[in-house]
């Protein structure tokens, strides 16, 4: 048993030495950014729990972070720098000092730049910690000044972000606290019971006050089971359903023509795109009853305040950008703004308008690599090839489309890979140099919620474990070693913290210093079109943002047909689970991971719960047991997102079956466009 699992149950410990409770916050890639109470005894974390300091947290947190101690002290934790001694992927390393490791990294950077140019270096990062210190800070300084390739960070939120930007300029959106004011809540492609648990009590409170609930999701969930209407749509068909609702609003006279005239542009073009989408046609496309779509349209028309929560589940397919646009356009056409609890709810990560003055605005015009094409970048790019890969805040061997191609790239003998992480991830196993990172309980950060609108300071509860160092320290030192610092520039974590607190706009830094939760100028619970307005150039909702048309292969609000084939008829989706955050914490032991399949699909294949199956297509194969149960629509199967290679029987995970095609808008990942067949693994 890892020591951590004992430590997380302090009541069972015989030693009740003096302990202290540290107030901090959670900067992981989760919308909730909880306030935490961390109990430390003899310098070790013995308990992680929620605090009531932040009312949205309300004193409870997820089971994942409650067992974070298992990760900090677990057997997979990286404790010191190391240099590869075995084959790539084998996991044999020899211990090195920080000086040895960083001088090797710096030498490889210089050599790659001298031979191929800075673009032969690819920095790769995403969601590890989303705080203002751990991402887009000294790391960005290094990449920009050294002139490396640039990374299009599009694995998540690219289509929804592009849609929200184009229509509304990312206007701040309805926060959790205002859900109880809604009379109708539509949860569209989002599963808060796993992916943002602090929303659930607010939805329940609304239901208690009589609000109707609609869920649009191919699977059921605790919330869909209590919903008034559940549309278990075929993955990737949301644009058709949303356009059918628009068509109804326009043709029934329920569209708010006065609002459309005063506050929007492009309504006529949207109306024309919606015109072909009768309830019957949308129903056939989405594989649901026409009466169910009509019921949604009528409920939406009749309810005020009506709130649409647009999630990320609907964006991860070829139609994701258009789906997000069609869903986000609903409150404009329906006239649902201007009341508390009405409007839309999407990511609030941009709501603070933090310009990050601590990184230079100018970026060199170097090559842009879309992170969803990492496998191709490593195996196909030539001019120049990727010679050095520097991975931090990410685990692409587990989380990015086309796993087999990525692993092939990581195996390249002539690729120099650095992985800077907290644990020995599937990606780190392929590194030439492994650098140990602190967790958020070992350093400072500024956590930013994207469900509600709050910022909070994360502060160390314990000393760094082993020789782990923070992103700020390591990127600061690399900046110095590679000679890109200017005189007197900040390099270490504390200097950087002070600078960030000083340079955050208004009173934000002062509040954070005082341990308070700062508030943006428009307050923490803004009403759309009263307290906040579209941040588009003319402050109007742009219902037909022409500039996206060149990006969208079939045009705006277009529907591209399902990629299923006779050989690979089943849609494989891979949503958030309650065990991991993306692949973070995926190293911990977990019960057998199963493929969820509807009984009708199982019967057609002669499968029963517990059977070991192969899930396959032309890209790869995953082997694991099957769970045959209701709760997913026929024709769709589901694996958890963020599995590690150790969680399946053959060392491949859901991403091995995901094509590296890109979404219609935003260059996003098409995780849920994987189409597969499933069969029993012979006796
Ligand atoms: N516990 C936990 N929490 C997390 C995360 C995690 O991994 N674990 N990840 C965090 C991150 S990085 C993100 S981006 C968010 C994501 O959080 P969510 O927005 O909830 O996104 P997903 O979990 O991808 O999928 C949500 C739901 O969409 C459904 N779905 C799949 N395809 C479609 C479709 O085509 N249309 C519709 N209507 N529904 C579809 C899935 O069945 C799933 O129930 O959660 C964050 N929070
Ligand atoms: N099959 C499938 N896969 C998916 C998705 C899906 O829907 N289906 N969705 C995707 C989504 S929504 C997202 S956001 C991506 C996320 O994918 P990734 O960005 O790869 O996120 P994680 O898997 O959480 O990996 C983050 C890593 O950063 C490390 N880390 C955390 N904090 C720090 C730090 O301060 N410093 C350093 N150096 N490292 C740190 C963690 O230990 C962890 O290993 O995954 C995507 N993968
Ligand atoms: S992962 Fe989300 S729910 Fe869990 S503690 Fe962090 S912010 Fe809260
Ligand atoms: Mo994400």
């Amino acid at each position: 048993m890892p020591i951590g699992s004992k430590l997380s149950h302090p009541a069972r410990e015989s030693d009740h030495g003096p302990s202290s409770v540290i107030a901090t916050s959670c900067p992981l890639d989760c919308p909730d950014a909880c306030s935490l109470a961390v109990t430390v005894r003899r310098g070790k974390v013995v308990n992680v729990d929620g605090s009531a300091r932040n009312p949205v947290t309300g004193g409870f947190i997820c089971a994942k972070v409650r067992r974070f101690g298992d990760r900090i002290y677990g057997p997979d934790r990286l404790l010191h720098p190391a240099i590869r001694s075995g084959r790539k992927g084998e996991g044999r390393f020899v211990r090195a000092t920080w000086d040895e490791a960083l001088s090797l990294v710096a030498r490889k950077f210089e050599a790659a730049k001298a031979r191929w140019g800075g673009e032969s270096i690819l920095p790769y990062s995403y969601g590890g910690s989303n705080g203002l210190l751990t991402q887009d800070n000294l790391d960005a300084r290094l990449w920009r000044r050294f002139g490396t390739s640039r990374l299009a960070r599009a694995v998540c939120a690219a289509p929804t972000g592009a849609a929200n930007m184009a229509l509304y300029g990312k206007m701040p959106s309805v926060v959790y606290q205002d859900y109880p004011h809604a009379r109708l809540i539509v949860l569209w492609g989002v599963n808060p019971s796993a992916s943002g648990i602090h929303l659930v009590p607010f939805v329940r409170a609304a239901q208690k006050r009589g609000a109707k609930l609609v869920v649009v999701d191919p699977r059921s969930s605790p919330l869909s089971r209590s919903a008034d209407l559940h549309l278990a749509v075929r993955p990737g068909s949301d644009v058709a359903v949303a356009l059918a609702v628009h068509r109804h609003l326009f043709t029934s006279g329920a569209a708010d023509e006065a609002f459309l005239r005063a506050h929007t542009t492009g309504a006529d073009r949207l109306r024309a795109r919606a015109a072909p989408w009768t309830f019957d046609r949308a129903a056939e496309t989405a594989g649901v009853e026409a009466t169910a779509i009509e019921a949604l349209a009528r409920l939406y028309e009749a309810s005020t305040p009506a709130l649409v929560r647009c999630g990320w589940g609907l964006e991860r397919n070829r139609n994701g950008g258009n789906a997000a646009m069609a869903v986000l356009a609903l409150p404009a056409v329906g006239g649902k703004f201007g009341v508390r609890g009405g409007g839309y709810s999407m990511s609030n990560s941009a709501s603070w308008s933090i310009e990050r003055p601590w990184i230079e605005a100018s970026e060199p015009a170097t090559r842009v690599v879309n992170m969803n094409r990492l496998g191709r970048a490593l195996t196909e790019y030539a001019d120049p090839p990727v010679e050095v890969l520097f991975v931090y805040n990410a685990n692409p061997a587990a989380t990015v489309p086309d796993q087999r191609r990525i692993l092939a790239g990581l195996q390249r003998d002539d690729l120099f890979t650095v992985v800077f992480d907290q644990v020995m991830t599937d990606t780190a196993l392929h590194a030439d140099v492994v650098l140990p990172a602190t967790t958020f309980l070992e350093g400072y950060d500024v956590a930013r919620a994207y469900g509600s609108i709050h910022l909070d300071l994360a502060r160390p509860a314990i000393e760094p474990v082993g020789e782990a160092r923070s992103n700020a320290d390591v990127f600061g030192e690399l900046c110095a070693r590679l000679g890109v610092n200017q005189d007197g520039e900040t390099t270490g974590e504390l200097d950087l913290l002070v600078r960030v607190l000083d340079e955050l706009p208004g009173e934000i830094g002062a509040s954070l210093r005082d341990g308070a939760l700062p508030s943006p100028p428009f307050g923490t619970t803004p009403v759309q079109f009263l307290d906040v307005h579209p941040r588009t150039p003319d402050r109007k909702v742009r219902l037909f943002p022409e500039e996206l048309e060149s990006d969208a292969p079939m045009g705006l609000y277009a529907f591209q047909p399902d990629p299923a084939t006779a050989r690979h008829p089943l849609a494989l989706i891979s949503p958030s689970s309650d065990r991991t955050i993306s692949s973070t914490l995926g190293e911990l032991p977990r019960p057998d991971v199963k493929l969820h399949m509807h009984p009708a699909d199982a019967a057609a294949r002669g499968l029963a719960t517990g059977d070991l199956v192969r899930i396959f297509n032309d890209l790869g194969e995953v082997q694991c047991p099957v769970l045959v149960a209701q709760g997913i629509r026929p024709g769709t199967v589901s694996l958890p997102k963020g599995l590690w290679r150790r969680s399946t029987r053959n060392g491949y995970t859901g991403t091995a079956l995901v094509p590296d095609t890109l979404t219609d808008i935003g260059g996003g990942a098409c995780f849920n466009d994987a189409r597969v067949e499933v069969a029993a693994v012979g006796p």
Side-chain angles (χ1 to χ4, degrees), residues 211-452:
K212 302 269 192 228
L213 177 65
V214 178
V215 173
V216 186
D217 193 315
R219 300 183 308 155
S220 47
S221 63
L223 286 167
S224 79
R225 284 188 278 277
S226 77
D228 299 277
L229 187 61
H230 175 197
L231 279 81
V233 296
R234 193 172 278 143
S237 65
D238 304 272
V239 63
V241 176
L243 287 177
V245 178
H246 281 294
R247 179 181 186 276
H248 169 83
L249 296 174
F250 282 121
T251 57
S252 70
D256 187 338
E257 300 291 348
F259 181 88
L260 289 174
R261 268 193 308 278
H263 298 291
T264 74
T265 58
D268 288 340
R269 298 193 70 184
L270 167 58
R271 185 196 314 245
R273 292 297 154 99
W277 290 104
T278 60
F279 291 134
D280 283 334
R281 184 169 167 212
E284 198 183 312
T285 304
V288 295
E289 297 291 324
T291 49
I293 304 179
E294 182 172 355
L296 164 60
R298 291 192 184 281
L299 256 179
Y300 193 69
E301 170 189 349
S303 311
T304 294
L307 174 55
V308 180
R309 166 88 171 142
C310 179
W312 294 270
L314 64 71
E315 76 165 21
R316 313 194 198 285
N317 63 77
R318 69 218 173 273
N319 296 318
N322 278 319
M325 287 211 313
V327 168
L328 292 175
L330 286 170
V333 174
K336 302 299 181 186
F337 289 118
V339 284
R340 191 166 294 284
Y344 76 89
S345 196
M346 182 76 262
S347 173
N348 269 313
S349 68
S351 296
W352 289 92
S353 318
I354 291 168
E355 301 293 346
R356 294 185 190 258
W358 45 88
I359 49 177
E360 50 255 78
S362 66
E363 277 194 277
T366 51
R367 147 171 97 181
V368 176
V369 175
N370 185 316
M371 66 192 301
N372 297 314
R373 290 271 164 82
L374 178 64
R376 277 178 215 275
L378 296 179
T379 55
E380 293 175 9
Y381 285 21
D383 191 23
V386 177
E387 290 289 294
V388 176
L389 173 71
F390 192 114
V391 179
Y392 62 107
N393 294 353
N395 181 15
T399 53
V400 179
D402 207 353
Q403 184 177 43
R404 285 211 310 194
R405 205 184 298 268
I406 290 173
L407 293 174
L410 291 173
Q411 298 278 356
R412 258 179 51 199
D413 274 332
D414 58 340
L415 174 72
F416 183 78
T417 302
V418 185
V419 176
F420 177 27
D421 204 305
Q422 301 160 347
V423 290
M424 186 61 87
T425 62
D426 288 341
T427 311
L429 285 173
H430 295 81
D432 294 278
V433 173
V434 174
L435 304 173
T438 46
T439 69
F440 69 89
L441 294 178
E442 296 153 54
Y444 285 98
D445 209 343
V446 178
R448 179 174 46 172
Y450 54 95
S452 58

Side-chain angles (χ1 to χ4, degrees), residues 29 126 156 316 582 641:
D29 190 352
Y126 198 73
C156 173
R316 313 194 198 285
S582 296
K641 151 188 170 186

Side-chain angles (χ1 to χ4, degrees), residues 1 10 19 21 54 97 149 178 241 437 536:
M1 182 201 268
S19 61
V21 178
N54 183 339
T97 64
S149 277
D178 276 340
V241 176
T536 50

Side-chain angles (χ1 to χ4, degrees), residues 572-575 593-595 615 622 624 637-641 643 654:
L572 170 70
I573 60 173
S574 43
V593 164
K594 294 195 179 71
L595 176 79
I615 314 152
V622 177
C624 69
V637 291
S638 174
L639 274 173
K641 151 188 170 186
L643 296 178

